[in-house]
Every structure is written in C-alpha cells, then in structure tokens.
Amino acid sequence: MHHQTASIATPAGEVEGTLDLPTGAKGVVLFAHGSGSSRFSPRNNFVAGALRTAGIGTLLMDLLTPAEDDVYRTRFNIILLTERLAMAADWLAASEAARGLPLGLFGASTGAAAALQLAAERKGGVAAVVSRGGRPDLTGQVALARVTAPTLFIVGGRDEGVIELNESAYLQLNCKKRIDIVPGATHLFEEPGALEEVARLARDWFSQYLSS
C-alpha cells in the first residue's frame, strides 16, 4: 500500500488530503466531502476502505481551509468547491504514484454537485461518478446534461426531499446512469447495514467503470 499526504496551496491557504494506493491499483477515486465535513469523515473513510480492498486507490481531500469552512455560505459555494476539486485532480495527475490511473469521483451532499460539475468540465478525464446522499440539483441543468461519465446516485429511502432532488437531477443526465434507493436509510446512512450497502454499491460501480 502506498500512503502519501497531499498538500495543495490555494489562495486562502493550504488544504490537505491523504492518498492511499493498493499495489497494482486499477484506478483512484477522489472524494468530494459535503458541507461541514472533511477528509476525516467517518462515512467517506468507511467507503474508501471498501474501495481499497477492491484494488482501487483513494484520495480523501479537504476542499476548504478551516477558516473557509467556518463560513456557512462558503460550504455551499459549488463553484469554489469545484475549483478545489479540480486542483486535487490535477495534483493526482501530476503524482508519480497515481499518474495515468483512471479517475473516479465520489461526492457526498454538496460535494456531489462539485463532482458532477468537474465531470462535465473534464469529460473523458473522469471515468465514473458516485453520489452518496448528494445534492446533484446544485450542479445546474446545463452541467448535468454535459456529464459523460457513468454516474450512480445513492439515496436513503427515508431521506425525504433529497430523493426528489436526486430524481429530478437524474432525468437531466444523458450518460450511463443508475439511481439506487437504500431502504430505510436516512441522509447520513446511520442505520444498521446502510453504509455497508453504500460501500458495496460504490465499490461495484467503480470496479466496473474504472477498469473498462
């Protein structure tokens, strides 16, 4: 396992992340955390661990500095989040350890909108996208229609309001796509077995499209 700390300079200060690559990794997934979360998110780290057992590398990256994250409005600045996610993708592309590996994006909450915007911008540079309890509606219709990477939406069956937002955004996608509803799960997938199901769905999706 290759383990490396990522540090990226931004106009507001440095943001950090952690890159973990299994030997012979088939690809690498960049995580876009939701509002108020960070690279230490227990849910995203759980999913990342499942991906690594399947031979997929992970980069869990902070997208905001601590000062920026203290500002509620900044957490919902999708343009800024997308810019930071693009910087992290560029860091991966320049990394000796990850260079040339297919790139997947995993977005949670507002991070899903940033992941989808980046997928729309990079097109062939993104191999697959997964959204967990995401807000893809914040991506915008124009960007959603431009996404070409196979995209999976995972939503909790009891995440009222967010289900409808995902279903509406799903209709705007013109790529290979699927939406999976996890029965009984709320927004954070805290119910027994719910997060395990998220990890399984994400692992299978990335395993299929990062190696195809």
Side-chain angles (χ1 to χ4, degrees):
M1 178 77 72
H2 173 85
H3 177 82
Q4 181 179 353
T5 298
S7 183
I8 299 173
T10 79
E14 286 195 343
V15 291
E16 294 187 341
T18 304
L19 172 66
D20 289 288
L21 289 174
T23 302
K26 65 185 72 173
V28 59
V29 172
L30 171 57
F31 281 70
H33 307 294
S35 56
S37 190
S38 74
R39 68 186 186 278
F40 300 116
S41 161
R43 286 169 291 278
N44 281 351
N45 274 277
F46 182 89
V47 174
L51 296 183
R52 293 193 292 269
T53 64
I56 299 169
T58 59
L59 174 58
L60 291 105
M61 193 85 207
D62 287 341
L63 300 182
L64 300 175
T65 66
E68 289 174 325
D69 196 48
D70 281 341
V71 180
Y72 182 80
R73 184 175 65 254
T74 305
R75 297 178 182 180
F76 287 83
N77 186 337
I78 306 303
I79 293 175
L80 176 61
L81 294 175
T82 305
E83 289 174 353
R84 297 289 172 79
L85 197 63
M87 293 172 73
D90 290 342
W91 183 93
L92 270 174
S95 163
E96 183 177 346
R99 187 183 301 131
L101 290 176
L103 175 66
L105 301 174
F106 183 98
S109 188
T110 51
L116 287 162
Q117 282 204 356
L118 185 61
E121 293 173 6
R122 299 281 172 106
K123 293 192 176 292
V126 175
V129 179
V130 172
S131 163
R132 170 184 65 80
R135 288 293 308 274
D137 55 297
L138 298 176
T139 308
Q141 291 186 8
V142 173
L144 284 169
R146 293 176 58 213
V147 173
T148 59
T151 298
L152 170 66
F153 288 172
I154 305 172
V155 193
R158 292 169 53 205
D159 197 0
E160 296 178 6
V162 175
I163 293 178
E164 291 76 12
L165 293 173
N166 274 258
E167 290 174 336
S168 177
Y170 183 81
L171 296 175
Q172 308 299 321
L173 291 170
N174 295 315
C175 53
K176 291 180 181 177
K177 59 184 180 178
R178 198 174 81 208
I179 183 167
D180 282 330
I181 309 294
V182 179
T186 50
H187 186 62
L188 296 181
F189 297 90
E190 296 174 305
E191 294 72 24
L195 197 55
E196 287 81 0
E197 179 65 3
V198 170
R200 183 190 69 80
L201 292 167
R203 180 199 65 208
D204 291 352
W205 192 260
F206 286 126
S207 293
Q208 178 179 357
Y209 291 109
L210 291 186
S211 57
S212 59

